[in-house]
Amino acid sequence: MIMGVKHIAFWIIGSLLILFGHLEDAINRMISQNKIVSIYIHNPGKHSFAKLVKWFIKNKFTFISTEQLIEIMKKETPCPERSVWLTCDDGWKENMQNVLPVVLEYDIPLTMFISTEPVEKGMFWWEKCKKYSKYLPKKYRSI
């Protein structure tokens, strides 16, 4: 139930930002300054990710790879107009079903950041929270 309310709230906020022209202003600012849009995704649904990619394609953005980003940052190559760099964080297994087919269909570069420490050392973020919770004020120690 909470996730439903959260998604509705984000939808309302996003719709208001678009309605009042903030998205268009941000795009125009990015284009005039030749900036790179960085999109960090955490476990998206296939429909949502496909919709995002289609929006960038429809609006004539250029998807760049990590290698291209590095070359641009080193000033070895110019930054293409309307550049976008996509990353998936944390290596969710659902990325294989939800993200990879879209990436392959549209032949776009994507960087996946895979957290290996939890697998290698068996230390997951919630375990670190529990371990260090004693340093938090008492009202936050519900773990």
Side-chain angles (χ1 to χ4, degrees):
M1 179 65 180
I2 293 174
M3 285 303 283
V5 172
K6 184 178 169 183
H7 285 125
I8 291 169
F10 284 140
W11 181 84
I12 290 169
I13 292 168
S15 296
L16 288 171
L17 289 171
I18 292 168
L19 179 68
F20 290 113
H22 293 288
L23 176 63
E24 189 174 334
D25 289 346
I27 292 170
N28 288 336
R29 230 180 4 261
M30 186 239 3
I31 292 168
S32 69
Q33 297 173 4
N34 204 26
K35 301 282 184 182
I36 298 170
V37 175
S38 297
I39 305 291
Y40 307 96
I41 301 165
H42 289 270
N43 203 18
K46 186 174 185 176
H47 175 74
S48 300
F49 184 69
K51 193 172 181 179
L52 174 75
V53 168
K54 288 176 188 176
W55 185 89
F56 279 114
I57 291 170
K58 176 184 168 197
N59 287 282
K60 298 178 175 44
F61 279 79
T62 301
F63 294 91
I64 62 170
S65 67
T66 301
E67 292 79 15
Q68 289 171 299
L69 177 65
I70 292 168
E71 290 172 2
I72 292 165
M73 292 173 70
K74 289 181 171 181
K75 301 195 184 311
E76 295 173 355
T77 186
C79 181
E81 284 189 20
R82 296 180 177 240
S83 295
V84 61
W85 180 55
L86 289 176
T87 71
C88 279
D89 294 343
D90 301 329
W92 294 90
K93 69 179 179 182
E94 292 85 0
N95 289 340
M96 298 304 285
Q97 297 114 355
N98 297 335
V99 174
L100 195 55
V102 177
V103 167
L104 294 173
E105 178 182 348
Y106 292 99
D107 192 28
I108 58 172
L110 174 80
T111 300
M112 285 193 170
F113 291 105
I114 311 295
S115 302
T116 59
E117 183 180 19
V119 176
E120 293 169 350
K121 297 183 180 177
M123 186 74 160
F124 294 90
W125 67 267
W126 55 84
E127 292 169 334
K128 287 185 181 184
C129 290
K130 188 174 183 179
K131 179 179 178 182
Y132 296 108
S133 66
K134 63 185 174 191
Y135 298 109
L136 294 173
K138 285 185 182 181
K139 66 181 180 179
Y140 297 113
R141 292 186 207 167
S142 62
I143 298 174

